[in-house]
Amino acid sequence: MDISFLLALEGKVPTSVSKLLGLEQRHPWCASCCDFPDEETEAKRQLKVTCPEAPERLRSQLSHPASAQVGKDSFGNDYIENLKQNDISTEFAYQTQDAATGTASIIVNNEGQNIIIIVAGANLLLNTEDLREAAKAISRAKVMICQLEITPETSLEALTIAHNSGVKTVFNPAPAIANLDPRFYTLSDVFCCNETEAEILTGLTVSSPADAGKAAQVLLERGCKVVIVTLGAEGCVMLSQTEPVPKHIPTEKVKAVDTTGAGDSFVGALAFYLAYYPNLSLEEMLKRANFIAAVSVQAAGTQSSYPYKKDLPLDLF
């Protein structure tokens, strides 16, 4: 899971936008994008330092604001520039000298599965005062995504602002914490977690779609309107107050090269459909989000694995 910020979708946004900002750094000491050679290690594992919430590689014509905190360092400078290059407003993207830019070291094995170590850095300095400065921008959004890679208090404030403004909220409790504030459940229009996060939140084992349905029911009882549990290659399970019977939405089987960022791709794609295709059924949105996430795992990297709209089937749009 990459270091996360907040995402407000307004106007036009990158289709299936899943990550807010960032550049992939294969060498932690190098600020430019580069790749290790294929023979990088005997195990041919890929080591990456990945920056927060990279945008889908689909460009937008209008900006959407990001509330973010990065360090006053080379990574931070690159992040800000990357936002600008992707036509994302940097009005509420702050740089601080009090902490380094957040990073994540990611090791990917031959099956495409990953292990991640996060150093949150400046992420933890984004605070509720910063959000209040961005309140007007948040209130104009169609959809807002929050995660837990900033402080829970800050994410909760963002959800509260959005909820009170009638903005649709998507909450991804990553990384999950067992004692999650109950308000996260009631303030989230869509509560989307993966199987590991569902286990931490509910105490139940989640190793199958049936297990995911049981965990989703527990989360629904805590006040969620819609619960989605993603299951990687098994797709996802959905449940809602209006459709309280768990439904498994499978995905196509693909050869995974790198699963890093797949969950963010899924969440971002879902947010896109919620914002611009609100008349689609939730099941159809999830089928499309599954497809886009499956595309992303077939290429190495996070931001670099996300497809352009032109490279996706027309029937997704």
Side-chain angles (χ1 to χ4, degrees), residues 162-174:
H163 179 80
N164 291 344
S165 300
V167 176
K168 189 170 290 293
T169 56
V170 179
F171 181 58
N172 175 215

Side-chain angles (χ1 to χ4, degrees), residues 90-203:
T90 59
E91 182 180 0
F92 305 109
Y94 307 104
Q95 284 189 277
T96 178
Q97 293 182 329
D98 296 331
T101 300
T103 58
S105 295
I106 305 171
I107 298 175
V108 181
N109 67 14
N110 291 337
E111 285 72 48
Q113 301 304 311
N114 60 69
I115 298 174
I116 305 174
I117 299 173
I118 293 173
V119 181
N123 282 32
L124 300 181
L125 299 185
L126 186 70
N127 58 45
T128 56
E129 288 302 317
D130 296 328
L131 289 184
R132 288 174 190 136
E133 290 184 19
K136 287 186 179 179
I138 293 173
S139 68
R140 295 194 302 268
K142 292 184 177 181
V143 176
M144 189 181 68
I145 300 171
C146 289
Q147 288 185 300
L148 290 176
E149 288 159 337
I150 54 178
T151 66
E153 294 77 17
T154 305
S155 277
L156 194 59
E157 178 68 16
L159 287 171
T160 301
I161 293 172
H163 179 80
N164 291 344
S165 300
V167 176
K168 189 170 290 293
T169 56
V170 179
F171 181 58
N172 175 215
I177 51 178
N179 58 340
L180 188 66
D181 189 308
R183 289 174 291 176
F184 278 107
Y185 300 109
T186 56
L187 289 172
S188 304
D189 291 308
V190 177
F191 192 97
C192 183
C193 58
N194 65 23
E195 62 267 55
T196 302
E197 292 150 3
E199 287 184 345
I200 292 171
L201 292 167
T202 66

Side-chain angles (χ1 to χ4, degrees), residues 36 40-47 107-110:
F36 286 131
E40 57 191 16
T41 67
E42 286 184 15
K44 293 187 177 180
R45 295 181 301 176
Q46 183 181 43
L47 176 63
I107 298 175
V108 181
N109 67 14
N110 291 337

